[in-house]
């Protein structure tokens, strides 16, 4: 496909490429997109209402009981070809790293080393009272048994290390902003770029390429625009890019 060749060429020319990933890279791992009407767990609730700071403080037991199946689904998912392809591009020195909106840790599971999680992750939780950190899995097991909300030994309620709606911008976002400003190329994969603050990164980058199933509000800014499944496109892109690298 002509566009994949063009994108491979862009990657080869660029000295500093940053990748921005969203929910679209994880849908092929069975994790539904927050925003698409779906028959999964997400259709039964408004994530903005459930996964918010105020929902947690208003009714922590309800927050944990309702989010437990979602968190469990996300934290037991497996990487798909898109995650592996991105890890390969990093290994080959073709990308500097990944800024992700996803909280599922699938980039790291696939072998990516340089990953900035601008919405946090589900590997751990912390107590806002005393600052204690703990692994997420035992907390989920506890909640599944009906013991909700999970509490710290100081009496505080644990909260997952994810950025909830109504939370301030995380430090990782400021680092991502610096990356975006200095990179030669920003490659967006599987993000509709609707979510602030991530969509603010796009105008900061000098060149833009987008791989996504649907339209994004930045399509007209992209030098290369490819519609389709991220897993297939990225797998082809790796082949093309490795072919170019082998040429003298
Ligand atoms: Zn505590």
């Amino acid at each position: 496909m002509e566009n994949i060749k063009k994108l491979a060429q862009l990657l080869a020319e660029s000295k500093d490429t940053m990748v921005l990933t969203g929910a679209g890279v994880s849908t092929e791992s069975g994790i539904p997109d927050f925003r698409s009407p779906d028959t999964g767990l997400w259709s039964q609730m408004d994530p903005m209402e459930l996964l918010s700071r105020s929902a947690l403080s208003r009714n922590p037991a309800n927050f944990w009981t309702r989010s437990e199946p979602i968190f469990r689904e996300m934290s037991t998912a497996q990487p798909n070809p898109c995650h592996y392809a991105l890890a390969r591009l990093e290994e080959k020195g073709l990308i500097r790293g990944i800024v992700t909106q996803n909280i599922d840790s699938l980039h790291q599971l696939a072998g990516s080393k340089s990953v900035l999680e601008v919405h946090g992750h589900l590997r751990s939780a912390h107590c806002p009272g005393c600052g204690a950190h703990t692994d997420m899995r035992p907390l989920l097991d506890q909640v599944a048994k009906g013991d909700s909300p999970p509490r710290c030994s100081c009496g505080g309620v644990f909260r997952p290390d994810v950025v909830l709606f109504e939370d301030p911008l995380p430090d990782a976002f400021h680092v991502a902003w610096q990356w975006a400003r200095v990179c030669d190329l920003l490659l967006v994969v599987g993000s509709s770029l609707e979510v602030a603050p991530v969509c603010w990164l796009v105008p900061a980058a000098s060149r833009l390429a987008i791989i996504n199933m649907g339209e994004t509000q930045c399509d007209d800014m992209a030098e290369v625009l490819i519609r389709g499944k991220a897993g297939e496109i990225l797998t082809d892109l790796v082949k093309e890019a490795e072919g170019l690298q082998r040429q003298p």
Side-chain angles (χ1 to χ4, degrees):
M1 193 167 136
E2 210 43 51
N3 268 341
I4 291 177
K5 282 200 167 69
K6 201 170 156 193
L7 182 51
Q9 194 64 48
L10 268 186
L11 273 180
E13 286 166 18
S14 164
K15 288 185 178 60
D16 189 357
T17 297
M18 161 177 151
V19 178
L20 171 63
T21 66
V25 306
S26 291
T27 47
E28 288 166 59
S29 291
I31 298 173
D33 186 344
F34 261 80
R35 267 146 231 285
S36 64
D38 200 273
T39 50
L41 291 162
W42 305 98
S43 64
Q44 298 155 30
M45 63 188 80
D46 177 359
M48 288 227 215
E49 198 172 307
L50 174 65
L51 301 176
S52 68
R53 206 179 167 96
S54 51
L56 176 60
S57 63
R58 204 167 48 236
N59 190 338
N62 185 56
F63 170 92
W64 274 99
T65 305
R66 293 186 67 197
S67 55
E68 181 271 331
I70 300 169
F71 290 164
R72 188 177 296 274
E73 185 174 302
M74 284 191 163
S75 50
T76 52
Q78 293 301 311
N80 65 58
C82 178
H83 297 105
Y84 289 113
L86 288 170
R88 181 85 179 148
L89 289 178
E90 183 188 12
E91 192 188 317
K92 288 277 164 189
L94 288 162
I95 63 172
R96 179 224 287 239
I98 299 168
V99 173
T100 187
Q101 296 171 265
N102 300 335
I103 57 176
D104 51 33
S105 307
L106 294 182
H107 287 302
Q108 291 94 327
L109 266 179
S112 287
K113 302 279 187 289
S114 176
V115 183
L116 264 181
E117 298 165 303
V118 289
H119 289 169
H121 59 81
L122 286 172
R123 297 183 294 278
S124 57
H126 72 277
C127 167
C130 69
H133 272 80
T134 186
D135 284 348
M136 190 70 165
R137 193 57 67 87
L139 300 188
L140 293 180
D141 291 344
Q142 193 185 324
V143 172
K145 283 185 202 138
D147 185 3
S148 180
R151 288 186 184 275
C152 173
S153 55
C154 82
V157 172
F158 279 116
R159 60 158 288 174
D161 286 334
V162 297
V163 177
L164 297 173
F165 294 100
E166 301 156 3
D167 268 338
L169 287 182
D171 291 344
F173 177 75
H174 299 286
V175 180
W177 172 253
Q178 293 304 327
W179 275 20
R181 283 182 51 197
V182 297
C183 73
D184 304 332
L185 173 65
L186 174 64
L187 169 59
V188 175
V189 187
S191 174
S192 53
L193 297 171
E194 277 165 23
V195 193
V198 163
C199 58
W200 305 340
L201 295 173
V202 174
S206 49
R207 302 178 91 176
L208 177 68
I210 298 176
I211 299 170
N212 195 44
M213 284 290 271
E215 283 181 18
T216 84
Q217 55 184 336
C218 302
D219 284 357
D220 52 358
M221 294 161 65
E223 286 183 43
V224 180
L225 179 63
I226 305 177
R227 297 232 188 278
K229 283 194 170 181
E232 292 165 13
I233 295 165
L234 262 292
T235 303
D236 290 346
L237 179 65
V238 168
K239 281 183 208 150
E240 279 295 331
E242 287 183 337
L244 285 177
Q245 268 194 331
R246 275 194 296 273
Q247 287 168 16

